[in-house]
């Protein structure tokens, strides 16, 4: 199946620093990628829809200035958590669609962010 | 508001039994349906996709879709302890609209005991 690569897998940082997470579709072009956040034992929460070459669409309650999304190419989307605080500690996961009539949605391996 | 409903469980089955996981959805325009398996601390892994009414089999997994009843299910035959995980149902509409954003259920926790 198609592969979505996400890096880094784990980040520990001090409060106030910014963290960038990369999501790459390795063997297909993804015009749309999705970013999720998941707290322990909770369901996936969609943060934003990332569209190649245009601004991301954020879900209600998600601060676009806090979570910067860039989708500069058909295979790469990045999420930057700016001025991270302990409450931003979470599991961040990206997903990408393979497109086509029988498209499939694949997830990256996720990034566990811990802000001290 | 699109909704995807799953019983949170846990669903407990003995090893070797058939596990049946169910999902209902509210958007009649939904076109693509997915089942994911998620182990604790890991990201979801796609195990089945289905697009038309009927059954689709892949190894020990069978997905069943009934668009008239807005119902999709996943059967796991010969359940193994390694199948113990949370199973997420996801639904997606047609491209170009808001329904194209995939909607996920909250997941059903499956426990397969030896």
């Amino acid at each position: 199946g198609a592969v979505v690569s996400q890096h880094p897998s784990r980040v520990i940082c001090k409060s106030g620093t910014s963290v960038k997470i990369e999501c790459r579709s390795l063997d297909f072009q993804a015009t749309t990628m999705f970013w999720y956040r998941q707290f322990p034992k909770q369901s996936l929460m969609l943060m934003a829809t990332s569209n190649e070459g245009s601004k991301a669409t954020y879900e209600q309650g998600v601060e676009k200035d806090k979570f910067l999304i860039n989708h500069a190419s058909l295979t790469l989307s990045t999420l930057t958590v700016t001025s991270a605080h302990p409450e931003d500690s979470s599991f961040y996961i990206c997903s990408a669609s393979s497109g086509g009539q029988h498209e499939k949605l694949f997830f990256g391996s996720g990034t566990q962010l811990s802000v001290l | 508001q699109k909704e995807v409903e799953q019983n949170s469980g846990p669903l407990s089955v003995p090893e070797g039994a058939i596990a049946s996981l169910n999902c209902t959805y509210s958007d009649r325009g939904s076109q693509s349906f997915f089942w994911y398996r998620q182990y604790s601390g890991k990201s979801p892994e796609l195990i089945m996709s289905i697009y038309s009414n009927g059954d689709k089999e892949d190894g020990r997994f069978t997905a069943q879709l009934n668009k008239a009843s807005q119902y999709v299910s996943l059967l796991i035959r010969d359940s193994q302890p390694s199948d113990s995980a949370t199973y997420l149902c996801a639904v997606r509409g047609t491209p170009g609209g808001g329904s194209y954003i995939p909607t996920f259920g909250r997941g059903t926790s499956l426990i397969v005991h030896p």
Side-chain angles (χ1 to χ4, degrees):
Chain A
V3 178
V4 175
S5 175
Q6 185 174 344
H7 293 282
S9 59
R10 180 177 292 275
V11 177
I12 301 174
C13 68
K14 293 181 179 180
S15 184
T17 58
S18 294
V19 175
K20 179 186 280 189
I21 302 169
E22 289 191 350
C23 181
R24 294 179 183 272
S25 55
L26 296 185
D27 53 1
F28 64 97
Q29 294 182 331
T31 56
T32 302
M33 292 185 178
F34 303 95
W35 287 95
Y36 297 86
R37 180 166 56 181
Q38 188 176 38
F39 294 104
K41 300 188 184 300
Q42 300 291 313
S43 59
L44 290 170
M45 186 190 83
L46 179 65
M47 299 176 66
T49 302
S50 171
N51 301 296
E52 187 268 335
S54 65
K55 292 182 179 180
T57 302
Y58 290 81
E59 295 299 301
Q60 189 174 9
V62 178
E63 301 175 59
K64 61 182 180 181
D65 295 329
K66 172 78 172 175
F67 300 99
L68 300 178
I69 291 173
N70 183 280
H71 195 152
S73 76
L74 288 172
T75 59
L76 174 65
S77 176
T78 61
L79 167 68
T80 301
V81 183
T82 62
S83 186
H85 288 92
E87 57 266 31
D88 298 323
S89 299
S90 185
F91 191 47
Y92 292 87
I93 319 172
C94 69
S95 74
S97 170
S98 62
Q101 182 182 10
H102 287 171
E103 49 95 18
K104 292 179 171 60
L105 296 172
F106 296 97
F107 281 88
S109 56
T111 299
Q112 182 63 53
L113 173 63
S114 300
V115 185
L116 305 179
Chain B
Q1 182 76 11
K2 297 178 294 175
E3 292 183 352
V4 176
E5 299 288 341
Q6 294 181 257
N7 188 319
S8 62
L11 172 66
S12 182
V13 301
E15 184 174 358
I18 295 175
S20 178
L21 304 163
N22 304 314
C23 173
T24 59
Y25 59 94
S26 63
D27 185 0
R28 281 197 171 275
S30 299
Q31 299 290 320
S32 305
F33 307 85
F34 308 93
W35 281 100
Y36 292 86
R37 177 175 61 198
Q38 185 176 25
Y39 293 112
S40 181
K42 302 293 185 181
S43 69
E45 173 192 8
L46 179 66
I47 54 174
M48 288 290 286
S49 58
I50 188 167
Y51 309 95
S52 55
N53 282 326
D55 295 0
K56 179 181 178 182
E57 185 174 319
D58 184 359
R60 295 187 296 113
F61 300 100
T62 298
Q64 300 174 317
L65 175 61
N66 184 324
K67 289 187 177 181
S69 300
Q70 296 174 240
Y71 175 94
V72 57
S73 65
L74 178 70
L75 301 178
I76 306 175
R77 289 180 298 281
D78 188 24
S79 296
Q80 301 297 308
S82 59
D83 293 326
S84 299
T86 297
Y87 288 80
L88 303 173
C89 170
V91 172
R92 199 176 191 190
T94 53
S99 64
Y100 200 48
I101 297 173
T103 302
F104 283 83
R106 297 179 68 85
T108 297
S109 175
L110 173 67
I111 299 173
V112 181
H113 52 87

